[in-house]
Amino acid sequence: MFKAFLIKYAEIGIKGKNRHIFEEVLCRQMRHALAEVEGEFSVTREMGRIYVRTEGAFDYDGAVEALKRVFGIAGICPVVIVDDTGFEDLAKAVVDYVKEVYKDQERTFKVCARRAKKTYPMSSMEMNSELGGRILEACPNMKVDVHEPDLFLNVEVRQNIYIYSETIPGPGGMPVGTNGQAMLLLSGGIDSPVAGYMIAKRGVKIDAVYFHAPPYTSERAKQKVVDLAKLVARYSGPIRLHVVNFTEIQLYIYEKCPHDELTIIMRRYMMKLAEMFARQDGCLGLITGESIGQVASQTMHSLAVTNEVCTMPVFRPLIGFDKQEIVDVSEKIGTYETSVLPYEDCCTIFVAKHPVTKPNLNIIRRSETHLADKIDEMMDTAFRTAELIEIS
């Protein structure tokens, strides 16, 4: 019976004179998400409301799932739209709606009429009272509760009349593309896909860089990262994934630097390369999945030393999360099962047995002088030979 959806947003509503910009981006993201769903959809903005209308048969469940992945949507309301042909027709439509949706279920309800069309001959209070009475007469299983009802029956009188009672939660956040662009350091682990999801939720378009180390890491490890990027892209939109061959740089660091400093020094050069790709793609910052104290490279001391090589801001949305909180989000967005597949990436292959947890910046810099002969050339080669994969 549903041929349309009313889309509710939250934060966008407080944007003042700029609200229409956010609404337009949200509509564009919704059209993009619905393009893969069976059916014909039109997305329109009308008087502070956004509607998705359908033509003919369509995949209802597919449309709802697609909209649940569009950042900026707070709620999705399946709506019945009827023409304004008088109150008697409206009352019949409301009773038919209740009978169809709730059948013989015993529920308490409250009618919430909203008369945006001020020329309508009845006030909102009169409509609430009259429609509630009609429902009670036709549906003996329903009871009125104006304080804590099981359902709110919303009736909005505009140019047409909109009837709905269900609000399916959306992901919230801001529409992707309204807050610039950033580069995600993506690995095959649990954390970095979640970090990308959380930054995208704030309206940031993301690209990604992955550090590959053949033959120490397999093609299957690379495919795992591509698969994770595809899962994140369901929420963030298209991602440009840069796959960097990091093997020679890692081996060179392994040969020239103290082994307890390997993780920190490799991480610093990863950040340098990620920043090179970020500047090339027009990004404004870097994103990592680091959380304070989770591993040796994520202590406060280590993060400070890692940050020192960056001129761009580094965003760490998981910085205060514990592992279970990160796992919970990864399960919610569907990346967990892929993240735990047993294909190691370069970060785990070259980990020292006893990594330093409180690195000293001056000592790390002195160790890096041993790399001076070749490291710049190797970094340039890694940058120029990176593979670009377009994730849609």
Side-chain angles (χ1 to χ4, degrees):
M1 66 184 301
F2 297 111
K3 297 296 182 181
F5 300 96
L6 164 64
I7 303 301
K8 293 185 175 181
Y9 50 70
E11 289 181 70
I12 295 175
I14 62 173
K15 294 302 179 183
K17 293 181 180 179
N18 292 326
R19 187 171 72 180
H20 72 281
I21 299 173
F22 291 85
E23 289 180 341
E24 288 169 1
V25 176
L26 177 57
C27 290
R28 185 167 67 243
Q29 295 294 342
M30 290 164 59
R31 294 185 190 104
H32 177 78
L34 291 168
E36 301 296 322
V37 181
E38 181 182 348
E40 294 185 15
F41 302 90
S42 64
V43 181
T44 57
R45 296 166 50 222
E46 300 175 18
M47 298 169 55
R49 290 285 191 272
I50 296 177
Y51 296 101
V52 177
R53 290 181 170 82
T54 65
E55 295 291 339
F58 74 102
D59 181 355
Y60 174 89
D61 292 331
V64 170
E65 287 303 312
L67 293 171
K68 285 168 69 174
R69 296 194 297 267
V70 178
F71 291 131
I73 294 178
I76 306 156
C77 306
V79 173
V80 169
I81 303 176
V82 298
D83 294 329
D84 180 10
T85 56
F87 181 78
E88 290 302 320
D89 289 341
L90 169 59
K92 181 179 184 304
V94 169
V95 169
D96 290 345
Y97 173 93
V98 173
K99 287 183 175 179
E100 175 67 22
V101 175
Y102 298 102
K103 303 188 187 305
D104 295 328
Q105 299 176 32
E106 293 187 2
R107 297 289 187 95
T108 59
F109 73 95
K110 177 182 179 180
V111 177
C112 300
R114 180 175 181 178
R115 191 184 59 152
K117 182 181 179 181
K118 299 305 180 184
T119 58
Y120 198 78
M122 295 177 68
S123 68
S124 297
M125 292 298 292
E126 290 172 336
M127 292 173 65
N128 289 339
S129 176
E130 187 64 29
L131 290 173
R134 299 288 182 97
I135 293 170
L136 290 174
E137 290 176 7
C139 307
N141 53 307
M142 306 293 283
K143 295 181 179 180
V144 171
D145 185 341
V146 296
H147 300 293
E148 295 183 358
D150 296 329
L151 64 98
F152 291 90
L153 182 62
N154 297 280
V155 179
E156 294 192 4
V157 180
R158 299 176 179 271
Q159 295 305 314
N160 296 109
I161 298 175
Y162 301 85
I163 306 168
Y164 63 96
S165 60
E166 181 184 13
T167 300
I168 301 166
M174 302 292 290
V176 173
T178 56
N179 276 314
Q181 185 170 334
M183 181 65 66
L184 170 67
L185 280 78
L186 182 62
S187 73
I190 297 172
D191 304 340
S192 57
V194 173
Y197 164 86
M198 293 187 67
I199 287 290
K201 186 176 180 179
R202 300 309 307 156
V204 178
K205 184 185 183 306
I206 62 172
D207 286 342
V209 57
Y210 163 61
F211 295 95
H212 193 38
Y216 300 98
T217 54
S218 66
E219 283 299 307
R220 189 62 191 85
K222 172 184 167 183
Q223 185 58 48
K224 174 184 174 182
V225 173
V226 172
D227 293 342
L228 286 171
K230 289 179 179 178
L231 293 170
V232 175
R234 295 190 306 164
Y235 296 90
S236 70
I239 296 174
R240 291 162 53 87
L241 175 63
H242 303 274
V243 180
V244 181
N245 189 325
F246 202 59
T247 308
E248 295 301 320
I249 294 175
Q250 285 190 291
L251 290 174
Y252 189 49
I253 295 171
Y254 189 84
E255 176 188 346
K256 296 290 186 179
C257 298
H259 283 195
D260 64 338
E261 299 172 4
L262 289 177
T263 303
I264 291 297
I265 294 175
M266 288 178 185
R267 189 70 177 170
R268 280 164 62 88
Y269 281 97
M270 287 179 179
M271 298 294 276
K272 288 182 179 182
L273 273 167
E275 190 169 76
M276 292 167 69
F277 287 104
R279 295 197 182 283
Q280 173 186 270
D281 287 5
C283 296
L284 301 175
L286 304 178
I287 311 165
T288 76
E290 292 160 318
S291 168
I292 291 177
Q294 186 171 185
V295 293
S297 64
Q298 297 177 23
T299 64
M300 284 293 288
H301 302 76
S302 297
L303 293 175
V305 171
T306 301
N307 261 30
E308 191 268 340
V309 301
C310 301
T311 58
M312 282 186 170
V314 181
F315 302 106
R316 297 180 169 95
L318 310 184
I319 197 69
F321 280 40
D322 63 34
K323 195 65 179 185
Q324 188 57 52
E325 290 172 317
I326 299 171
V327 167
D328 291 344
V329 178
S330 71
E331 290 177 334
K332 182 181 79 170
I333 66 176
T335 58
Y336 179 78
E337 294 299 329
T338 302
S339 291
V340 297
L341 292 174
Y343 303 107
E344 295 181 313
D345 58 28
C346 64
C347 296
T348 56
I349 294 294
F350 290 91
V351 172
K353 289 184 178 179
H354 302 288
V356 61
T357 58
K358 296 182 179 180
N360 180 288
L361 179 58
N362 292 327
I363 294 174
I364 295 297
R365 283 176 171 172
R366 187 160 59 244
S367 297
E368 289 178 347
T369 61
H370 302 150
L371 307 172
D373 291 342
K374 297 168 59 177
I375 194 65
D376 288 343
E377 180 183 347
M378 297 173 78
M379 291 278 284
D380 182 63
T381 300
F383 179 72
R384 288 187 294 100
T385 60
E387 177 187 3
L388 176 61
I389 301 175
E390 300 280 355
I391 307 293
S392 61

